[in-house]
Amino acid sequence: MKRPKLSVVVPCYNEERCLEALHARVSAAARAAVGDNHEIVLVNDGSRDGSWAVMQRLAAADPRLVAINLSRNHGHQLALTAGLDLCAGEQILIIDADLQDPPELLADMRATMAAEGADVVYAVRRKREGETFFKKLTAAVFYRMLDRITDTPIPLDTGDFRLMSRRALDAFLSLPEQARFIRGMVAWVGFRQVPFVYDRAERLAGETKYPLAKMVRFALDAVTGFSTAPLRFASHVGLALTGATLIVLVYVVISFLMGRTVQGWTSTMLVVLFLGAVQMFVLGMIGEYLGRLYVESKRRPLYLVADVAGPIQGRATLGYRSEDGTDASVMIDSPGGKGTRPTR
C-alpha cells in the first residue's frame, strides 16, 4: 500500500457548526505542507446533530477526505483510537474539531520533527483562551498530580494535539486496553518526543464535550491506567490506622486497669465514622482496578464502525469495520465457538 505523506485525524461529536471551517482550514494547512498527498480522517462519534450528513457532503466533494461513522457514541478517546487505527499516513496529526488547536501550526510542527529527528511532537499549551478559571486550575493540578504519581513521565499542560511518525503510531496501536488515556499511552511507547509550545485559541462554536463528570472519569482512567499509587496509598493508610488502633488499645487497657471509665460518645462515633470512610475509600480504589480487569477480560473490540464515506485505506486492528458484508480486519474464531473477533 502506498501511504499518503500525512493523515489528519479528527474525532467529532456534535460538531456540525465547526465542520465546514475545520475542513477548509485543515485542507489548506495539509496542502501547504505536503500538497495533495494527504488524507483527512473525520470520525463521527455518534453525534446527535447533523454532523454525519455534513461529513458525507464534504467527503463527496473532497477525494482526500474519509468520514467514519461509529455505530454509537464511544467517547473521545475511543473515537480518536478508531481514526488512528484506520488512517494510513506516514505522519499523523491529531487535532480536535473545535479548532482550539490551530491546524496552521502543522508546517512548524513538521519542521520541528525533522530538525529534532523526533517521532512525536506534542503541543504544550502556553495560554488557554476561552476557558474558565476552574477548568484551568483543575487541569493544572491534575497534570502535576499525575506527574508525581505515575511511573511514566507525562508532559505537563498537553492535550492530544500532536504530530506522530508512523512507527510511533504503530507502537501505540499495539496497546489494546479499553480505558484509554491516549496522551499517556503515547508517552509510554517512548521514542524521541519533543515539545512544541503554542497558544490555545477559544472554541470556534458549540460547547465543551468534557463536563465535570467526564473530566472526573477521564482523570480516573489516567490515574488507574498509569499508576498503582492509589493501591499503595490504601496499604499505607491501613498500616497507619493499624498503628493508631494499637495505641488506642494500649490506652484502653491502661484506663481499665486504673479503674477509669473511658468516656466520650462523640469522639467514639467520630473514630467509627472516620474508619468507615477510609475503608469505603480503600474498597472503592480496589473496585476501580478490579473493574478495569473485568472490562479488559472481555476483549471486546474498541470501536464499531457503521458507515464509511470516502477512500479509506486503513484496516481495523483494534475494532470492527464491515466491508461489503465482511469484516475488513483479519478474523479468527472466538474462544466460545460463536461469532468472530478481530486480531492483529
Side-chain angles (χ1 to χ4, degrees):
M1 177 182 67
K2 182 175 175 57
R3 296 186 181 278
K5 286 186 178 179
L6 174 71
S7 294
V8 182
V9 178
V10 192
C12 307
Y13 177 65
N14 291 346
E15 299 289 2
E16 178 183 9
R17 295 164 58 190
C18 297
L19 288 175
E20 297 280 358
L22 170 74
H23 175 248
R25 289 177 59 181
V26 169
S27 294
R31 192 173 293 110
V34 297
D36 288 336
N37 195 7
H38 69 271
E39 67 173 355
I40 301 171
V41 181
L42 302 182
V43 183
N44 181 41
D45 186 24
S47 297
R48 299 178 180 177
D49 60 2
S51 294
W52 177 238
V54 175
M55 290 181 190
Q56 289 177 298
R57 186 174 73 251
L58 293 173
D62 185 353
R64 286 164 296 278
L65 189 145
V66 179
I68 299 169
N69 186 34
L70 299 185
S71 63
R72 60 173 176 81
N73 178 254
H74 287 67
H76 178 272
Q77 298 292 283
L78 290 179
L80 177 52
T81 297
L84 294 174
D85 196 23
L86 294 169
C87 74
E90 295 175 0
Q91 293 181 331
I92 301 90
L93 178 70
I94 301 173
I95 190 170
D96 286 337
D98 55 20
L99 291 173
Q100 287 186 280
D101 303 322
E104 292 78 12
L105 297 177
L106 170 62
D108 292 335
M109 294 174 77
R110 294 185 76 241
T112 299
M113 176 175 280
E116 297 285 345
D119 284 283
V120 178
V121 176
Y122 57 88
V124 179
R125 300 160 181 167
R126 179 169 47 201
K127 294 181 180 178
R128 301 165 64 105
E129 300 294 338
E131 295 184 359
T132 64
F133 173 77
F134 175 76
K135 186 167 184 178
K136 293 178 182 178
L137 176 63
T138 52
V141 171
F142 165 68
Y143 283 112
R144 281 147 186 82
M145 177 198 71
L146 190 64
D147 183 59
R148 293 182 64 87
I149 67 175
T150 55
D151 300 324
T152 301
I154 299 175
L156 301 177
D157 302 319
T158 62
D160 293 316
F161 184 35
R162 63 194 62 220
L163 181 68
M164 301 175 64
S165 69
R166 169 50 60 175
R167 73 167 183 169
L169 178 62
D170 286 343
F172 164 81
L173 293 176
S174 70
L175 309 179
E177 55 255 44
Q178 291 271 348
R180 303 177 79 78
F181 179 60
I182 289 177
R183 62 204 69 170
M185 295 169 70
V186 173
W188 185 89
V189 301
F191 302 105
R192 179 161 174 74
Q193 306 194 16
V194 298
F196 181 88
V197 180
Y198 78 112
D199 295 329
R200 198 171 200 224
E202 188 173 357
R203 163 179 275 275
L204 178 67
E207 299 178 351
T208 178
K209 306 307 183 295
Y210 269 98
L212 182 59
K214 285 190 176 181
M215 288 173 61
V216 171
R217 180 69 258 176
F218 188 58
L220 281 174
D221 285 342
V223 172
T224 55
F226 288 88
S227 175
T228 57
L231 291 178
R232 292 198 301 270
F233 173 76
S235 300
H236 295 161
V237 169
L239 289 173
L241 289 176
T242 300
T245 302
L246 291 175
I247 294 173
V248 173
L249 178 61
V250 171
Y251 171 74
V252 170
V253 171
I254 293 175
S255 298
F256 176 77
L257 294 175
M258 295 181 65
R260 296 188 207 165
T261 302
V262 179
Q263 298 180 356
W265 180 87
T266 302
S267 59
T268 301
M269 291 303 298
L270 287 174
V271 170
V272 170
L273 290 173
F274 173 73
L275 291 176
V278 170
Q279 288 174 339
M280 293 303 296
F281 173 78
V282 171
L283 288 173
M285 284 294 97
I286 296 173
E288 187 68 29
Y289 282 90
L290 287 176
R292 290 175 65 92
L293 289 174
Y294 168 70
V295 170
E296 297 294 343
S297 68
K298 291 187 286 188
R299 298 186 63 192
R300 290 177 177 172
L302 299 188
Y303 62 88
L304 303 172
V305 175
D307 305 287
V308 174
I312 191 167
Q313 299 184 53
R315 293 173 62 86
T317 61
L318 294 174
Y320 176 90
R321 178 176 80 88
S322 62
E323 183 176 335
D324 296 331
T326 60
D327 194 328
S329 60
V330 180
M331 306 301 297
I332 64 175
D333 290 338
S334 63
K338 298 180 180 179
T340 54
R341 59 183 173 89
T343 184
R344 282 182 296 280

